[in-house]
Amino acid sequence: MIMPGGDSLSVHGTGGAIDAMVTALVDAAYDKKPEVRNIISSSLVDIGKQKPGMVLSSCHVYLKKHSKLQKDHRVVILQTMEKVIHETLSAIKSGLAAELVQLAAEEMTATKEVDPQWQTAASGVLVALGKKYCNEVMEEILKRFQPGTLPHFFTVQTMANLSTGNPFSFVPFLTAVLGTMLPMLGLAKHDNMKWVFSYALARFCESILHYVANIEDAPDQSVRKELYSSQIFSAYEIVYNMWLQSKEAKVL
């Protein structure tokens, strides 16, 4: 049963009393007492294991309808969503997944400033969904990863974590990602951006090695390390010859 949530938003409800209960739990998720917050989150995850569509769509609708919601409350909801996704990914339908990907990407980049707790929670939702819906996640991420402009810190970190979370689906994007990233490296002036680019390069290398080491199970068995070696080499030339020359070894 689809329950209207305002505008075009909808909750994938059951039509039973549990629908209102889940909404009430989401509303109360940021209780003043940490132990109560943990109980509420655990309850939502337990219900989500049985009714993932209902719990996840309830969280989605709640966050969309409450744009001014306290950030800590948003974090709790996003963290709960990630836990439900980990437990039930195979049961999440593509339509709902697309809505959740868009929501999480918007949450992650809602502010240009780095807000680690909020943005880590949103990134976690994207990476969890990307283990099945990598194309949908990358489509949304690449909208925020455009040539000539430094991306959001967590846009890069999310791709890095996704690359090792689902190498078989991510590696086909690598040529395009590296082609866009290489010119960006020269634009990175602050330590945090240098660190996240270095982190991403390391994870990308891991994903390539995993792909090649398990090539018999890969969707494209023509992939070889050599396909990416020149781009990776060019990136590390910048890291070692430009960034480390200024005694910023901590970026590694």
Side-chain angles (χ1 to χ4, degrees), residues 85 89 92 97 100-101 124-134 137:
I85 292 165
L89 183 57
I92 299 172
L100 299 179
V101 167
V125 171
L126 289 171
V127 174
L129 287 166
K131 291 181 179 179
K132 179 180 179 182
Y133 294 106
C134 187
V137 172

Side-chain angles (χ1 to χ4, degrees), residues 164-180:
T164 51
N166 187 355
F168 285 160
S169 295
F170 183 86
V171 165
F173 288 97
L174 255 183
T175 298
V177 168
L178 290 169
T180 301

Side-chain angles (χ1 to χ4, degrees), residues 3-200:
M3 298 165 52
D7 297 328
S8 61
L9 303 175
S10 60
V11 174
H12 298 201
T14 66
I18 195 170
D19 299 344
M21 182 191 303
V22 167
T23 299
L25 287 170
V26 173
D27 190 49
Y30 190 64
D31 190 89
K32 285 187 274 188
K33 297 180 179 179
E35 60 271 23
V36 175
R37 293 201 296 270
N38 290 336
I39 291 170
I40 291 173
S41 179
S42 296
S43 297
L44 285 168
V45 172
D46 287 341
I47 298 170
K49 291 176 184 178
Q50 303 302 318
K51 301 289 183 183
M54 190 261 287
V55 170
L56 291 170
S57 61
S58 295
C59 292
H60 171 260
V61 168
Y62 191 87
L63 288 174
K64 293 291 282 187
K65 288 177 66 177
H66 296 83
S67 59
K68 304 299 184 183
L69 189 69
Q70 186 178 357
K71 276 192 292 187
D72 289 337
H73 196 162
R74 306 188 84 84
V75 169
V76 172
I77 294 172
L78 289 165
Q79 289 173 337
T80 300
M81 291 170 69
E82 181 185 355
K83 292 174 185 175
V84 173
I85 292 165
H86 278 304
E87 295 284 349
T88 66
L89 183 57
S90 62
I92 299 172
K93 295 181 179 179
S94 59
L96 175 59
E99 292 177 348
L100 299 179
V101 167
Q102 183 178 17
L103 169 73
E106 290 171 353
E107 293 278 329
M108 186 178 73
T109 57
T111 174
K112 292 182 180 180
E113 292 75 27
V114 174
D115 190 320
Q117 193 174 25
W118 182 17
Q119 292 156 356
T120 296
S123 176
V125 171
L126 289 171
V127 174
L129 287 166
K131 291 181 179 179
K132 179 180 179 182
Y133 294 106
C134 187
N135 289 350
E136 289 81 354
V137 172
M138 284 303 296
E139 181 180 353
E140 201 64 38
I141 287 290
L142 291 175
K143 293 177 185 176
R144 296 162 170 79
F145 191 72
Q146 295 296 315
T149 304
L150 273 180
H152 195 287
F153 177 97
F154 274 92
T155 295
V156 181
Q157 182 159 303
T158 299
M159 286 196 293
N161 292 334
L162 181 57
S163 73
T164 51
N166 187 355
F168 285 160
S169 295
F170 183 86
V171 165
F173 288 97
L174 255 183
T175 298
V177 168
L178 290 169
T180 301
M181 180 183 288
L182 283 174
M184 291 177 177
L185 300 181
L187 301 176
K189 305 302 180 186
H190 299 292
D191 287 350
N192 67 331
M193 289 307 300
K194 292 178 180 180
W195 178 88
V196 81
F197 278 128
S198 300
Y199 174 79

